[in-house]
Amino acid sequence: MLGVTGMSVNQGQAQNSSKAFYLAYQRCMEQRPLPNGQIQFLVVPAIVCAAFSIELGFKALVLRSGGSVSGHNLKELFSALETPTQQQIVSAVGVAEGEFNSSLAEASNAFVEWRYIHERESANANNEFLSKLSKATQDALSK
């Protein structure tokens, strides 16, 4: 049996799930050598897991402050965070605010786009930004 203590169930569940998808992202990005000399890592599941981890983390942070949000759009969810939390995350990602906002806008629909990548001819993702943002989100959740 799993349990959560010291926080509301919805906030706790969102936070725990965010952490689980963050760990799944990290595992998907592990590079495994194949017998033919190539390196295997799971790009599509990694991007989906990173984006979902961020989404759930943002939702948990909003719930923690007494708010409520829904949807998958990372930019919209980020805008619902309290200003100090936004500033903490931008600082932890380590880029200028303008670059952060631009990268966040580009990544806003990564969860939806990449989970249905098989229906698209092409897609782009800034894995470095998603990696830093997912880590910054986990750091914000741990405070």
Side-chain angles (χ1 to χ4, degrees), residues 1 3 5 87 93:
M1 177 189 236
T5 59
Q87 292 169 339
V93 170

PDB file of all heavy atoms in Angstrom, residues 1 3 5 87 93:
ATOM      1  N   MET A   1       0.837  -1.173   0.000  1.00  0.00           N
ATOM      2  CA  MET A   1       0.000   0.000   0.000  1.00  0.00           C
ATOM      3  C   MET A   1       0.888   1.244   0.000  1.00  0.00           C
ATOM      4  O   MET A   1       1.835   1.330   0.756  1.00  0.00           O
ATOM      5  CB  MET A   1      -0.905  -0.014   1.232  1.00  0.00           C
ATOM      6  CG  MET A   1      -1.766   1.218   1.336  1.00  0.00           C
ATOM      7  SD  MET A   1      -2.610   1.262   2.903  1.00  0.00           S
ATOM      8  CE  MET A   1      -4.263   1.380   2.341  1.00  0.00           C
ATOM      9  N   GLY A   3       1.167   5.457   0.389  1.00  0.00           N
ATOM     10  CA  GLY A   3       0.459   6.533   1.054  1.00  0.00           C
ATOM     11  C   GLY A   3       1.214   7.839   0.946  1.00  0.00           C
ATOM     12  O   GLY A   3       2.400   7.859   0.645  1.00  0.00           O
ATOM     13  N   THR A   5       1.630  11.521   3.186  1.00  0.00           N
ATOM     14  CA  THR A   5       1.293  12.228   4.415  1.00  0.00           C
ATOM     15  C   THR A   5       1.779  13.658   4.341  1.00  0.00           C
ATOM     16  O   THR A   5       2.712  13.970   3.613  1.00  0.00           O
ATOM     17  CB  THR A   5       1.933  11.547   5.637  1.00  0.00           C
ATOM     18  OG1 THR A   5       3.350  11.532   5.460  1.00  0.00           O
ATOM     19  CG2 THR A   5       1.425  10.134   5.815  1.00  0.00           C
ATOM     20  N   GLN A  87      10.280  32.505 -10.624  1.00  0.00           N
ATOM     21  CA  GLN A  87      11.637  33.047 -10.616  1.00  0.00           C
ATOM     22  C   GLN A  87      12.653  31.989 -10.202  1.00  0.00           C
ATOM     23  O   GLN A  87      13.742  31.906 -10.777  1.00  0.00           O
ATOM     24  CB  GLN A  87      11.713  34.266  -9.688  1.00  0.00           C
ATOM     25  CG  GLN A  87      10.925  35.449 -10.204  1.00  0.00           C
ATOM     26  CD  GLN A  87      10.765  36.558  -9.172  1.00  0.00           C
ATOM     27  OE1 GLN A  87      10.891  36.344  -7.967  1.00  0.00           O
ATOM     28  NE2 GLN A  87      10.479  37.762  -9.655  1.00  0.00           N
ATOM     29  N   VAL A  93      17.005  26.892 -14.170  1.00  0.00           N
ATOM     30  CA  VAL A  93      17.252  26.449 -15.548  1.00  0.00           C
ATOM     31  C   VAL A  93      18.517  27.100 -16.083  1.00  0.00           C
ATOM     32  O   VAL A  93      19.247  26.514 -16.888  1.00  0.00           O
ATOM     33  CB  VAL A  93      16.021  26.724 -16.447  1.00  0.00           C
ATOM     34  CG1 VAL A  93      16.330  26.501 -17.920  1.00  0.00           C
ATOM     35  CG2 VAL A  93      14.853  25.840 -16.013  1.00  0.00           C
TER      36      VAL A  93
END
